């Protein structure tokens, strides 16, 4: 059987102070419609990265509303996840010629996972490219199947897309974050557009006191008397941590004493991260003002919460970004950002709220904006505050769950 992931139970009542009455009513109505359906989500990893983050909180709330929902993860050796990471990169536009042995590795592992898949669900949501062929290989049974794509597929590598397309075509509905991510070749499907959202009640996002923040910052190794800029991201070339180091080096010339915190998590399905981590270590070796830390060295939800809340500026230098939960997480804490103007980031920072959107290839401008924010506390407080309101209105997990349950209820009725 595919491994089950534990899900918490978060009662809807806990979210009521944060949402409108209409939203609460709609959540209850949708939960009523789906109460007797068995729902399954399948993805590649129980921790590390935005998808597992999203599933953890969205499914906890769904359980809290009495829904019968499970989360399972596929299995695979490193070789399989190396191939699927290449698929991921290619679907975000990287060149890749998809050699026969990679096709074979991908299909073989999916056959294995399809064999392990036990049915008995009414609605199955498959996340991202790793498990796409499960539907074809296992058979649909009586269920409705949804493919949820979390990545920026606006300029996909056509070879990989063509390879996956026959498997994708069997799904009853496809979900993307933004309309511009829907590849032309898939436009004739039933498509829903659903941006993710963050859980304001999770340890990553709940409120902390300034004293707690100061103590945790110091514990991790930051001098709390000096300014700090931070990027929190998987060590992934699309998040460009090496570029963040260059921006820091430029900004430090203008803001003496500046420190950089690069916090990264190592995900089960992302073997590429280890190589990048080694490069980062090489670049930062001997620089006492740069802190590199990961989930393997004690950076958990609470530490991420603190760095997003208490850093003077948070950077997200993504070159491609499906959504970037990290942005909503940071803005929710009222911290101003300098972020790459790409993928799902701009919808989280409309009209200059939250900070500055900059062409991520223009490192001089990014460094200038970082410096500007570091030198102007009033400005960054104002931008951060506006950012928090955008998140409250649009990017909380409750809105995400409404959108997703609406789609599932529609499919279940058909
Ligand atoms: N994250 C974390 N610790 C880290 C780095 C990232 O917990 O050291 C979390 C981060 O808080 C966010 C998720 O991983 O919830 C990343 O999601 P995002 O959508 O920003 O990017 P993805 O990794 O899915 O591309």
């Amino acid at each position: 059987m595919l491994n089950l992931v534990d899900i918490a139970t978060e009662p809807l009542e806990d979210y009521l102070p944060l949402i409108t009455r209409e939203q609460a009513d709609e959540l209850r109505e949708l939960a009523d419609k789906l109460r007797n359906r068995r729902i399954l989500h399948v993805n590649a990893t129980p921790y590390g990265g935005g998808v597992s983050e999203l599933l953890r909180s969205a499914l906890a709330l769904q359980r809290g509303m009495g829904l019968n929902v499970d989360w399972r993860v596929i299995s695979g050796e490193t070789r399989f996840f190396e191939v699927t990471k290449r698929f991921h990169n290619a679907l975000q536009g990287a060149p890749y010629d998809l050699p026969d042995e990679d096709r074979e590795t991908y299909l073989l592992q999916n056959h294995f996972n399809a064999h392990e898949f036990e049915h008995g669900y009414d609605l199955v949501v498959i996340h991202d490219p790793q498990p796409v062929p499960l539907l074809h290989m296992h058979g649909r049974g009586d269920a409705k199947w949804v493919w949820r794509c979390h990545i920026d597929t606006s300029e996909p590598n056509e070879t990989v897309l063509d390879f996956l397309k026959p498997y994708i075509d069997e799904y009853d509905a496809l979900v993307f974050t933004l309309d511009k991510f829907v590849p032309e070749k898939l436009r004739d499907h039933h498509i829903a557009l659903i941006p993710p959202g963050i859980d304001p009640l999770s340890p990553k996002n709940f409120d902390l006191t300034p004293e707690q923040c100061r103590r945790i910052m110091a514990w991790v190794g930051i001098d709390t008397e000096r300014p700090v800029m931070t990027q929190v991201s998987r060590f992934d070339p699309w998040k460009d941590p090496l570029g963040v180091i260059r921006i820091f080096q430029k900004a430090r010339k203008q803001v003496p004493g500046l420190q950089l915190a690069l916090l990264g998590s190592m995900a089960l399905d992302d073997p590429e991260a280890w190589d990048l981590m080694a490069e980062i270590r090489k670049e930062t070796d001997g620089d006492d003002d740069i802190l590199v830390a990961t989930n393997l060295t004690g950076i958990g939800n609470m530490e991420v919460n603190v760095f997003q809340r208490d850093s003077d500026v948070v950077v997200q230098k993504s070159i491609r970004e499906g959504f970037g939960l990290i942005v909503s997480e940071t803005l929710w804490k009222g911290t101003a950002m300098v972020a790459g103007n790409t993928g799902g980031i701009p919808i989280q920072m409309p009209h200059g709220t939250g900070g500055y959107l900059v062409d991520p290839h223009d490192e001089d401008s990014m460094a200038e904006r970082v410096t500007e924010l570091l030198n102007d506390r009033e400005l960054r407080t104002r931008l951060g505050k506006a950012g928090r309101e955008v998140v409250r209105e649009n990017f909380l997990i409750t809105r995400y769950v409404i959108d997703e349950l609406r789609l599932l209820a529609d499919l279940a009725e058909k």
Side-chain angles (χ1 to χ4, degrees), residues 359-379:
D359 170 359
H361 299 287
D362 183 353
E363 294 180 1
D364 284 336
S365 298
M366 278 208 144
E368 272 167 36
R369 292 304 200 182
V370 167
T371 307
E372 191 180 333
L373 288 177
L374 287 171
N375 286 334
D376 191 339
R377 178 186 292 270
E378 193 274 323
L379 172 68

Side-chain angles (χ1 to χ4, degrees), residues 157-333:
N157 173 308
E158 298 293 331
T159 313
V160 174
L161 184 61
D162 289 346
F163 171 67
L164 292 177
K165 187 172 179 300
Y167 302 111
I168 298 173
D169 284 343
E170 295 189 26
Y171 283 80
D172 296 294
L174 312 182
V175 182
F176 293 86
T177 295
L178 297 176
D179 184 61
K180 67 178 179 191
F181 292 172
V182 184
E184 270 324 304
K185 288 176 180 166
L186 300 179
R187 280 211 177 258
D188 53 353
H189 283 267
H190 175 173
I191 287 180
L193 302 176
I194 308 181
I198 63 156
D199 185 351
L201 305 184
S202 75
K204 181 162 288 168
N205 298 313
F206 58 38
D207 281 349
L208 295 167
T209 65
E211 177 56 13
Q212 285 169 324
C213 290
R214 196 194 59 74
R215 288 173 74 121
I216 292 179
M217 277 267 189
W219 180 82
V220 175
I222 291 294
D223 174 355
T224 55
E225 300 296 313
R226 292 191 282 141
V228 55
M229 73 175 253
T230 295
Q231 175 160 300
V232 184
S233 273
R234 283 182 299 107
F235 292 134
D236 177 316
W238 302 104
K239 318 271 188 191
D240 198 12
L242 297 170
V244 177
I245 296 169
R246 291 190 294 273
I247 290 173
F248 163 73
Q249 286 161 344
K250 288 177 202 284
R252 178 167 56 180
K253 290 190 185 133
Q254 309 300 322
V255 184
L258 182 62
Q259 304 164 90
L260 170 65
L262 274 180
L263 306 189
S265 59
M266 313 305 265
L268 200 62
D269 62 341
D270 188 6
E272 203 179 31
W274 296 99
D275 298 335
L276 191 47
M277 170 88 163
E279 266 186 80
I280 292 168
R281 289 253 179 251
K282 212 165 80 195
E283 285 303 314
T284 58
D285 205 23
D287 190 331
D288 292 340
D289 292 333
I290 302 181
L291 172 88
V292 182
T294 72
N295 50 330
L296 304 179
T297 54
I299 301 299
N301 287 328
M302 193 80 97
E303 287 75 16
V304 169
N305 187 339
V306 166
F307 276 81
Q308 291 173 336
R309 195 174 290 281
D310 218 33
S311 294
D312 297 275
V313 172
V314 170
V315 173
Q316 187 60 37
K317 195 191 175 295
S318 301
I319 292 161
R320 281 281 159 102
E321 191 60 79
F323 179 70
L325 272 180
I326 218 82
V327 174
S328 279
E329 288 168 3
T330 305
L331 298 178
W332 179 244
K333 289 144 193 145

